[in-house]
Amino acid sequence: MFSLLQEAATTAAGHTEEAAATAAAGAEAAESASGMPQLDFSTFPNQIFWLVITLGVLYWVLSRIALPRIAAVISDRQGAITGDLMAAEEFKQKAKEAEAAYDKALADARVEAGKIVAANRAEIQKELDAAIARADAEIAARTAESEKRLAEIRTSSAADAREVARDVTGELVRSFGGKADEAAVDQAVDSRMKGTVQ
Amino acid sequence: MATEAEEATGLSFHPMEQFLVKPLFGDGPVHWYTPTNVTLWMFITVAAIVALLVMGTRGRAIVPNRVQSVAELAYGMVHKMVEDVAGKDALKYFPYIMTLFMFITFSNMLGLLPKSFTTTSHIAVTGVLALAVFISVTVIGFVKNGTHFLGLFWVTSAPLALRPILAVIEVISYFVRPVSHSIRLAGNMMAGHAVIKVFAGFAAIAAISPLSILAVTAVYGLEVLVSFIQAYVFTILTCVYLKDALHPAH
C-alpha cells in the first residue's frame, strides 16, 4: 500500500514537473494552473469587484428586508407568548374566583337547605301536634258519647229488665192462682234486682 | 498537456484547478468587470441567502415552518453573539456582521458541492472581508473614543517599564489581525478542498479506491464542520475586534 502511494506521489510529482515545463514553454493559463490560483494577482480586481457588489446587495437585502422582518416576527411571538401567559394567569384567577364563588354558593345553599328543613320540620311538627290534639279531642268526645250511650243503654236495659221481671213475676203469681199485688211485686223485684244490676 | 502521463498511470492530480478564476463566457482575459465563476457563485450565494432569510420568512408566522425556523435560528445566533461578545451598543452593527456570517457560511457550504467554486478559498475575497472589518473597526474605535482608543495599546495594568515593550507587541498584533483573520479562512477552505481532490485522484487506482472514497467521505464530513466553524470564528473575531473598538479599556 505504501509503495503504491509512493509511486503515485512520484508520478504526481513528475506530472507537475512536466506541467511546469509545458507552462514554461508558453501557455499562460497553464502557468496559473500549476501554481496557486489564489496568488494570481491578475484575477484580484475581478474578485474584489464582484465581492463588493455581492456584499452591497446582501447588506441592502438583509438590513432593509430580512432582518427587520425576522426581528418583527420574533418580537411579535414574544408579545404573543407574554400576552397568552398573562391571559392564562387571568383565566386562572377567574377560575379560582369562580371556584370560591361556587363553594360559597354551595355552603350557602347547604345552610339554606338546613334552615328550610328545620322550618318544615317545625311546621310539620306543629301540624302534627294540632292533628294529634284534634284527634285526641275527637277521641275524647267520641268516648264520652259512647259512655253516655252506654249509660243510657245500661239504664234503659235495667228499666226493661225490671219491667220484664215484674211482668214475669205477675204472670207467675197469676199462673199459681194467686192474685198479683202490683205493689208487692214491684217491691220484691226491686229488692231482688238491687245488688245484681247497678 | 500532461495527457501522456495521465494515460500511463491512470492518475490525474489537479487539486488546485478547482480554484481557477475563469470567465463564464468564452476564454478571454479576466478583466475586473468580466463575469466569471466568482460572479456566478457569489450570485448563487446571494440567491440562497435571500431564499432562506427573505422567502423563508415570507409567512411571518407566529408558529414558524422549518425554513423560517432556520432563518430565525441564524438570526438569533448571530444576534446573541454580537450582544454577548461586543455588547448592546454593538447591535447597531449587527446587520453588517450578519451579512458577513451569512456570506461566509453560504460560500463555504456551497463550495462543498461537487464542481462548485469556493469564493472564500481566495485570499482576495477573505482579504477584502478582513480589511473591511479592520478598517471599519479602527475607524469606529477612533470616532467613538478619540485618542482613548490608543489606550488599547498602552497596558495600564502592566508595570511601567514593560509598557513600551507591550505597546510594540500590541501594535504588531493589532496590525496582524486582518492577516490572520483572512488567511485562517482562506487557508482552511483551500486546504480542505485540495485534500479532497488529492484523495479523489487516488480513486483511479482500483486497489486504493475504497480507501480513497472512504477518506473523501471522512474529509468531506470534516469540511462541513470546518465550513461552519470557520464562518463562526470569523464572525466571533469580528465581534471581539468590535468590542475592542467600542470599549478599548483592558
Side-chain angles (χ1 to χ4, degrees), chain A residues 147-164:
Chain A
E147 266 169 15
K148 208 169 91 192
R149 280 203 18 221
L150 265 178
E152 271 170 23
I153 288 167
R154 194 173 284 149
T155 49
S156 73
S157 72
D160 287 351
R162 189 178 292 131
E163 195 82 12
V164 169

Side-chain angles (χ1 to χ4, degrees), chain B residues 156-177:
Chain B
T156 46
S157 56
L160 191 61
L162 277 176
R163 283 182 205 170
I165 305 166
L166 284 175
V168 172
I169 295 172
E170 289 282 341
V171 168
I172 291 172
S173 81
Y174 188 81
F175 282 97
V176 166
R177 275 176 179 183

